[in-house]
mmCIF file of all heavy atoms in Angstrom:
data_model
loop_
_atom_site.group_PDB
_atom_site.id
_atom_site.type_symbol
_atom_site.label_atom_id
_atom_site.label_comp_id
_atom_site.label_asym_id
_atom_site.label_seq_id
_atom_site.Cartn_x
_atom_site.Cartn_y
_atom_site.Cartn_z
ATOM 1 N N GLY A 21 -23.019 -30.663 2.860
ATOM 2 C CA GLY A 21 -21.666 -30.138 2.695
ATOM 3 C C GLY A 21 -21.024 -29.826 4.050
ATOM 4 O O GLY A 21 -21.716 -29.573 5.039
ATOM 5 N N ILE A 22 -19.691 -29.810 4.055
ATOM 6 C CA ILE A 22 -18.960 -29.519 5.302
ATOM 7 C C ILE A 22 -19.249 -28.077 5.719
ATOM 8 O O ILE A 22 -19.210 -27.167 4.879
ATOM 9 C CB ILE A 22 -17.432 -29.649 5.077
ATOM 10 C CG1 ILE A 22 -17.073 -31.019 4.498
ATOM 11 C CG2 ILE A 22 -16.658 -29.388 6.362
ATOM 12 C CD1 ILE A 22 -15.643 -31.075 3.948
ATOM 13 N N THR A 23 -19.506 -27.890 7.004
ATOM 14 C CA THR A 23 -19.748 -26.517 7.458
ATOM 15 C C THR A 23 -19.193 -26.261 8.852
ATOM 16 O O THR A 23 -19.175 -27.159 9.691
ATOM 17 C CB THR A 23 -21.253 -26.181 7.431
ATOM 18 O OG1 THR A 23 -21.400 -24.793 7.782
ATOM 19 C CG2 THR A 23 -22.065 -27.040 8.387
ATOM 20 N N ASP A 65 -19.612 -31.353 -1.600
ATOM 21 C CA ASP A 65 -18.957 -30.046 -1.761
ATOM 22 C C ASP A 65 -18.407 -29.830 -3.172
ATOM 23 O O ASP A 65 -17.621 -28.904 -3.400
ATOM 24 C CB ASP A 65 -17.811 -29.919 -0.741
ATOM 25 C CG ASP A 65 -18.328 -29.762 0.678
ATOM 26 O OD1 ASP A 65 -18.980 -28.739 0.946
ATOM 27 O OD2 ASP A 65 -18.106 -30.667 1.501
ATOM 28 N N PHE A 68 -17.760 -26.597 -5.356
ATOM 29 C CA PHE A 68 -16.680 -25.652 -5.033
ATOM 30 C C PHE A 68 -15.412 -26.034 -5.800
ATOM 31 O O PHE A 68 -14.384 -26.413 -5.236
ATOM 32 C CB PHE A 68 -16.437 -25.621 -3.523
ATOM 33 C CG PHE A 68 -17.655 -25.200 -2.741
ATOM 34 C CD1 PHE A 68 -18.202 -26.019 -1.768
ATOM 35 C CD2 PHE A 68 -18.278 -23.991 -3.010
ATOM 36 C CE1 PHE A 68 -19.337 -25.638 -1.067
ATOM 37 C CE2 PHE A 68 -19.416 -23.597 -2.320
ATOM 38 C CZ PHE A 68 -19.948 -24.424 -1.339
ATOM 39 N N GLU A 70 -13.150 -24.507 -7.265
ATOM 40 C CA GLU A 70 -11.887 -23.777 -7.090
ATOM 41 C C GLU A 70 -10.872 -24.575 -6.274
ATOM 42 O O GLU A 70 -9.662 -24.424 -6.462
ATOM 43 C CB GLU A 70 -12.148 -22.450 -6.366
ATOM 44 C CG GLU A 70 -10.861 -21.706 -6.057
ATOM 45 C CD GLU A 70 -11.093 -20.401 -5.334
ATOM 46 O OE1 GLU A 70 -11.540 -20.415 -4.171
ATOM 47 O OE2 GLU A 70 -10.842 -19.359 -5.955
ATOM 48 N N ASP A 71 -11.372 -25.418 -5.375
ATOM 49 C CA ASP A 71 -10.443 -26.095 -4.465
ATOM 50 C C ASP A 71 -9.671 -27.233 -5.107
ATOM 51 O O ASP A 71 -8.652 -27.653 -4.569
ATOM 52 C CB ASP A 71 -11.212 -26.609 -3.237
ATOM 53 C CG ASP A 71 -11.683 -25.448 -2.393
ATOM 54 O OD1 ASP A 71 -10.945 -24.461 -2.281
ATOM 55 O OD2 ASP A 71 -12.804 -25.532 -1.858
ATOM 56 N N THR A 87 -9.617 -33.093 2.817
ATOM 57 C CA THR A 87 -10.724 -33.859 3.391
ATOM 58 C C THR A 87 -11.058 -35.044 2.484
ATOM 59 O O THR A 87 -11.210 -34.888 1.275
ATOM 60 C CB THR A 87 -11.961 -32.963 3.559
ATOM 61 O OG1 THR A 87 -12.115 -32.214 2.370
ATOM 62 C CG2 THR A 87 -11.822 -32.022 4.716
ATOM 63 N N ARG A 90 -13.743 -35.010 -0.146
ATOM 64 C CA ARG A 90 -13.591 -34.192 -1.348
ATOM 65 C C ARG A 90 -12.570 -34.774 -2.331
ATOM 66 O O ARG A 90 -12.397 -34.236 -3.422
ATOM 67 C CB ARG A 90 -13.186 -32.754 -0.959
ATOM 68 C CG ARG A 90 -14.207 -32.068 -0.037
ATOM 69 C CD ARG A 90 -14.129 -30.563 -0.114
ATOM 70 N NE ARG A 90 -14.356 -30.104 -1.473
ATOM 71 C CZ ARG A 90 -14.246 -28.839 -1.867
ATOM 72 N NH1 ARG A 90 -13.926 -27.920 -0.984
ATOM 73 N NH2 ARG A 90 -14.446 -28.495 -3.123
ATOM 74 N N GLU A 118 -5.517 -26.865 -1.288
ATOM 75 C CA GLU A 118 -6.831 -26.560 -1.851
ATOM 76 C C GLU A 118 -6.750 -25.175 -2.498
ATOM 77 O O GLU A 118 -6.130 -24.253 -1.952
ATOM 78 C CB GLU A 118 -7.918 -26.615 -0.768
ATOM 79 C CG GLU A 118 -8.057 -28.032 -0.206
ATOM 80 C CD GLU A 118 -9.217 -28.264 0.755
ATOM 81 O OE1 GLU A 118 -9.935 -27.306 1.098
ATOM 82 O OE2 GLU A 118 -9.394 -29.421 1.169
ATOM 83 N N GLY A 119 -7.379 -25.052 -3.654
ATOM 84 C CA GLY A 119 -7.252 -23.818 -4.432
ATOM 85 C C GLY A 119 -7.734 -22.579 -3.704
ATOM 86 O O GLY A 119 -7.287 -21.465 -4.003
ATOM 87 N N GLY A 120 -8.627 -22.739 -2.731
ATOM 88 C CA GLY A 120 -9.084 -21.584 -1.953
ATOM 89 C C GLY A 120 -7.956 -20.929 -1.181
ATOM 90 O O GLY A 120 -8.063 -19.782 -0.742
ATOM 91 N N ARG A 136 -6.226 -26.958 5.585
ATOM 92 C CA ARG A 136 -6.438 -27.741 4.359
ATOM 93 C C ARG A 136 -5.173 -27.844 3.491
ATOM 94 O O ARG A 136 -5.063 -28.742 2.665
ATOM 95 C CB ARG A 136 -7.541 -27.106 3.524
ATOM 96 C CG ARG A 136 -8.886 -26.972 4.238
ATOM 97 C CD ARG A 136 -9.533 -28.325 4.451
ATOM 98 N NE ARG A 136 -10.858 -28.204 5.041
ATOM 99 C CZ ARG A 136 -11.966 -28.036 4.343
ATOM 100 N NH1 ARG A 136 -11.928 -27.935 3.040
ATOM 101 N NH2 ARG A 136 -13.132 -27.968 4.969
ATOM 102 N N LEU A 165 -10.895 -20.612 7.198
ATOM 103 C CA LEU A 165 -10.911 -21.819 6.368
ATOM 104 C C LEU A 165 -9.811 -21.786 5.309
ATOM 105 O O LEU A 165 -8.904 -22.604 5.300
ATOM 106 C CB LEU A 165 -12.292 -22.002 5.714
ATOM 107 C CG LEU A 165 -12.425 -23.171 4.739
ATOM 108 C CD1 LEU A 165 -12.154 -24.495 5.435
ATOM 109 C CD2 LEU A 165 -13.791 -23.173 4.061
ATOM 110 N N HIS A 166 -9.923 -20.843 4.387
ATOM 111 C CA HIS A 166 -8.928 -20.724 3.313
ATOM 112 C C HIS A 166 -8.376 -19.304 3.292
ATOM 113 O O HIS A 166 -9.033 -18.367 3.763
ATOM 114 C CB HIS A 166 -9.571 -20.997 1.945
ATOM 115 C CG HIS A 166 -9.926 -22.429 1.696
ATOM 116 N ND1 HIS A 166 -11.215 -22.847 1.427
ATOM 117 C CD2 HIS A 166 -9.163 -23.545 1.646
ATOM 118 C CE1 HIS A 166 -11.215 -24.159 1.225
ATOM 119 N NE2 HIS A 166 -9.996 -24.610 1.356
ATOM 120 N N THR A 169 -10.762 -16.889 1.971
ATOM 121 C CA THR A 169 -11.920 -16.598 2.816
ATOM 122 C C THR A 169 -11.701 -15.226 3.451
ATOM 123 O O THR A 169 -12.653 -14.505 3.745
ATOM 124 C CB THR A 169 -12.058 -17.652 3.945
ATOM 125 O OG1 THR A 169 -11.927 -18.959 3.401
ATOM 126 C CG2 THR A 169 -13.375 -17.513 4.678
ATOM 127 N N ILE A 247 -22.598 -23.452 3.912
ATOM 128 C CA ILE A 247 -21.583 -24.527 3.957
ATOM 129 C C ILE A 247 -20.197 -23.953 3.615
ATOM 130 O O ILE A 247 -19.384 -24.586 2.942
ATOM 131 C CB ILE A 247 -21.963 -25.724 3.060
ATOM 132 C CG1 ILE A 247 -22.358 -25.273 1.654
ATOM 133 C CG2 ILE A 247 -23.081 -26.531 3.700
ATOM 134 C CD1 ILE A 247 -22.515 -26.436 0.676
ATOM 135 N N ASP A 248 -19.989 -22.728 4.105
ATOM 136 C CA ASP A 248 -18.665 -22.092 4.061
ATOM 137 C C ASP A 248 -18.171 -21.761 2.658
ATOM 138 O O ASP A 248 -16.958 -21.573 2.454
ATOM 139 C CB ASP A 248 -17.593 -22.964 4.755
ATOM 140 C CG ASP A 248 -17.843 -23.137 6.240
ATOM 141 O OD1 ASP A 248 -18.627 -22.353 6.797
ATOM 142 O OD2 ASP A 248 -17.253 -24.061 6.834
ATOM 143 N N GLY A 249 -19.055 -21.691 1.695
ATOM 144 C CA GLY A 249 -18.628 -21.399 0.324
ATOM 145 C C GLY A 249 -18.743 -19.907 0.023
ATOM 146 O O GLY A 249 -19.730 -19.261 0.368
ATOM 147 N N GLY A 250 -17.730 -19.373 -0.641
ATOM 148 C CA GLY A 250 -17.759 -17.967 -1.057
ATOM 149 C C GLY A 250 -17.803 -17.865 -2.576
ATOM 150 O O GLY A 250 -17.876 -18.881 -3.288
ATOM 151 N N SER A 252 -15.503 -16.982 -4.819
ATOM 152 C CA SER A 252 -14.402 -17.525 -5.631
ATOM 153 C C SER A 252 -14.480 -19.043 -5.718
ATOM 154 O O SER A 252 -14.128 -19.641 -6.739
ATOM 155 C CB SER A 252 -13.040 -17.087 -5.089
ATOM 156 O OG SER A 252 -12.772 -17.694 -3.857
ATOM 157 N N CYS A 253 -14.982 -19.687 -4.640
ATOM 158 C CA CYS A 253 -14.967 -21.163 -4.588
ATOM 159 C C CYS A 253 -15.750 -21.820 -5.710
ATOM 160 O O CYS A 253 -15.484 -22.958 -6.074
ATOM 161 C CB CYS A 253 -15.590 -21.679 -3.299
ATOM 162 S SG CYS A 253 -15.345 -20.702 -1.871
HETATM 163 C C1 CIR B 1 -15.486 -27.203 2.450
HETATM 164 O O1 CIR B 1 -15.458 -27.115 3.686
HETATM 165 O O2 CIR B 1 -14.591 -27.768 1.825
HETATM 166 C C2 CIR B 1 -16.661 -26.620 1.701
HETATM 167 N N1 CIR B 1 -17.860 -26.773 2.493
HETATM 168 C C3 CIR B 1 -16.441 -25.164 1.410
HETATM 169 C C4 CIR B 1 -15.303 -24.929 0.463
HETATM 170 C C5 CIR B 1 -15.072 -23.486 0.217
HETATM 171 N N2 CIR B 1 -14.054 -23.281 -0.753
HETATM 172 C C6 CIR B 1 -13.277 -22.194 -0.813
HETATM 173 O O3 CIR B 1 -13.303 -21.356 0.085
HETATM 174 N N3 CIR B 1 -12.428 -22.111 -1.841
#
Side-chain angles (χ1 to χ4, degrees):
I22 305 166
T23 185
D65 289 296
F68 300 122
E70 175 181 67
D71 291 323
T87 45
R90 301 203 59 185
E118 296 187 356
R136 302 290 184 87
L165 176 61
H166 288 121
T169 313
I247 50 170
D248 296 343
S252 69
C253 326

